[in-house]
Amino acid sequence: MSPSPGRVVGIAVGALAILGIGVYGPAMLLGPLPDVTVDADPAQAAAPASVAVALPADDASAVALLAEDGSAVTVASSADDEAVPIGGAAKLVTVLTVLDALPLASGEDGPAIRIGPEDYTDYLRYSGEGSRALQVSPGDSWTQRDVVRAVLMSSSNNHADTLARWAFGSVDAYVDRANAWLEEQGFTATRVADTTGLSGEDVGTATELTRLAALVLDDPELSAMLDGRSGSSTPTDDRSVPDVIAHLDGDGVRALSRSYTDQAAITFVWTSVIGSGDDEQRMIGAMTGVDDYETLDPAVLAAVEGMAAASAPIEVIEAGAPYGDVHSAWGDHARLVAAAGRTDAAYGAVADDAVIDVDPFTTAPAGRPVGTVTVRIGDREVSSALELDAPIEDPGPIWRLTHPGELIGAFLDDEA
């Protein structure tokens, strides 16, 4: 006997109910949840700009930090950082080129350099012109160390020529070697035409002058001379070499070169220490084309002051600062906050917008790291983990059973 139509319908409905309970329920209750939606908002916690370093608008100037590897890291430079006459700063090239070829050993005075007729004639000529010169006499014997000190600290033009002739045979040979050395060191704008800087063809940029200064400071023998420690094994025999380049030393400034020529006007290269304790750093500055000391002195002191102010760390990322929100399909909400603060001394740089990177997730307790925030400021990046300020919890069985579309979509996304 065939079952009645009503019975067939009843069996079908029962089978579907059993299937729904046996398949649909577990699928909805155990299936994957959809990922939260991330609404990143980097502007919520924009980092402040650090203090800018002010430089003279009319002259070529640059300031830099002396890095641990001895290089100069430019912090600021004037808009017009083109090659100009550099005056007596060319003597830094003279000293560095000679010591590259014939270095001074620690504690040694180096070979004796005998003063000949040409050296004495140079002394008379430079003295007659009113250029800086330190007295020599035919037959004198100067150590290499003392000649270098005379060039560096007395800016002696005749000693610059003497040093170059002793090292390379002639001033012309020195000029060729010096320009080759500059190219080898990666200087693209600095070139010399003599040992002294009296020629208008001795040129460079303020930025490259800070690089030269860094090389001087990185040389232990030269830095000892500038600090008043001759490094000589026989200091009582050192020749009298006056420190004529010293300027603003009472204000914590150590001059490395100070000169005036008709072509270059005043050129001043210096160093100073900013900060204190563990935060102490050495800065380097260079200014060229300055008309007078009434203009130079306040500009140098302002640059030192500006570097000191700019060295104060700024909070680029503040702990707990919000960088966006996350929302779940079932209504939970939490903010993305920085797990830790990050500071940086950016020397006038302005922070870029934060870059937010959040890993996909469905549920997470409060305080769990779910991504990172990264901020570029200047040429550096600082970052912090991002965590939730509230939990994103499982929505529970009722929401799961009543939202099959969301769960099926999450399942298909997982299978894709």
Side-chain angles (χ1 to χ4, degrees):
M1 181 184 225
S2 298
S4 67
R7 183 177 178 135
V8 170
V9 171
I11 291 171
V13 170
L16 289 173
I18 293 171
L19 183 64
I21 294 171
V23 176
Y24 175 81
M28 295 300 101
L29 294 174
L30 301 176
L33 291 166
D35 289 339
V36 296
T37 300
V38 177
D39 296 323
D41 187 4
Q44 280 190 32
S50 63
V51 178
V53 181
L55 294 174
D58 298 332
D59 306 312
S61 308
V63 286
L65 290 173
L66 184 64
E68 290 184 3
D69 64 359
S71 63
V73 180
T74 302
V75 171
S77 60
S78 57
D80 184 13
D81 195 31
E82 298 179 356
V84 295
I86 57 174
K91 293 188 181 78
L92 300 180
V93 180
T94 305
V95 168
L96 290 167
T97 303
V98 170
L99 293 187
D100 180 67
L102 299 167
L104 266 173
S106 176
E108 298 294 330
D109 291 327
I113 300 174
R114 191 168 181 80
I115 301 300
E118 195 171 7
D119 305 308
Y120 182 61
T121 300
D122 282 342
Y123 162 65
L124 295 176
R125 175 167 56 89
Y126 288 125
S127 297
E129 294 172 353
S131 300
R132 282 176 177 160
L134 199 58
Q135 183 175 357
V136 294
S137 298
D140 283 353
S141 182
W142 289 60
T143 66
Q144 179 189 3
R145 180 179 296 278
D146 284 340
V147 175
V148 169
R149 289 173 59 233
V151 177
L152 182 64
M153 302 184 68
S154 288
S155 197
S156 174
N157 292 299
N158 55 300
H159 282 80
D161 285 347
T162 294
L163 187 65
R165 274 194 299 267
W166 170 75
F168 301 105
S170 70
V171 170
D172 288 343
Y174 156 76
V175 169
D176 291 340
R177 181 66 194 108
N179 286 320
W181 177 83
L182 286 164
E183 289 187 11
E184 291 165 6
Q185 297 296 316
F187 289 88
T188 59
T190 305
R191 293 293 180 267
V192 296
D194 58 21
T195 68
T196 62
L198 292 172
S199 169
E201 295 180 14
D202 297 296
V203 298
T205 65
T207 297
E208 289 198 352
L209 287 182
T210 64
R211 287 188 55 205
L212 281 174
L215 292 173
V216 170
L217 294 171
D218 193 47
D219 185 298
E221 301 307 307
L222 298 179
S223 62
M225 294 177 195
L226 291 164
D227 287 344
R229 299 173 286 112
S230 76
S232 172
S233 58
T234 56
T236 56
D237 295 335
D238 284 354
R239 289 188 175 272
S240 177
V241 174
D243 186 359
V244 304
I245 63 169
H247 187 62
L248 297 175
D249 51 339
D251 294 290
V253 171
R254 169 66 253 189
L256 279 66
S257 176
R258 178 175 69 92
S259 65
Y260 177 88
T261 66
D262 291 339
Q263 299 91 341
I266 296 174
T267 298
F268 191 59
V269 183
W270 80 94
T271 183
S272 186
V273 174
I274 57 175
S276 59
D278 293 339
D279 296 325
E280 185 176 283
Q281 289 181 289
R282 182 168 288 280
M283 67 161 288
I284 307 163
M287 292 184 180
T288 65
V290 185
D291 291 333
D292 49 54
Y293 285 97
E294 288 74 18
T295 303
L296 175 77
D297 292 359
V300 170
L301 297 179
V304 174
E305 213 173 290
M307 285 286 281
S311 70
I314 60 170
E315 196 165 29
V316 180
I317 298 174
E318 181 183 355
Y323 284 93
D325 302 86
V326 295
H327 302 271
S328 71
W330 50 96
D332 279 1
H333 163 260
R335 292 193 307 170
L336 293 165
V337 297
R342 295 289 183 264
T343 60
D344 191 69
Y347 295 93
V350 178
D352 295 342
D353 285 343
V355 176
I356 311 300
D357 184 20
V358 177
D359 300 324
F361 72 95
T362 56
T363 62
R368 172 184 154 184
V370 294
T372 58
V373 53
T374 302
V375 179
R376 172 169 284 277
I377 184 159
D379 58 357
R380 297 170 300 282
E381 287 184 347
V382 293
S383 34
S384 167
L386 286 173
E387 60 187 23
L388 301 179
D389 72 343
I392 303 293
E393 299 177 322
D394 189 289
I398 294 177
W399 186 91
R400 284 175 170 272
L401 290 171
T402 56
H403 292 80
E406 288 86 342
L407 295 172
I408 293 170
F411 173 78
L412 294 175
D413 288 341
D414 277 357
E415 295 297 311

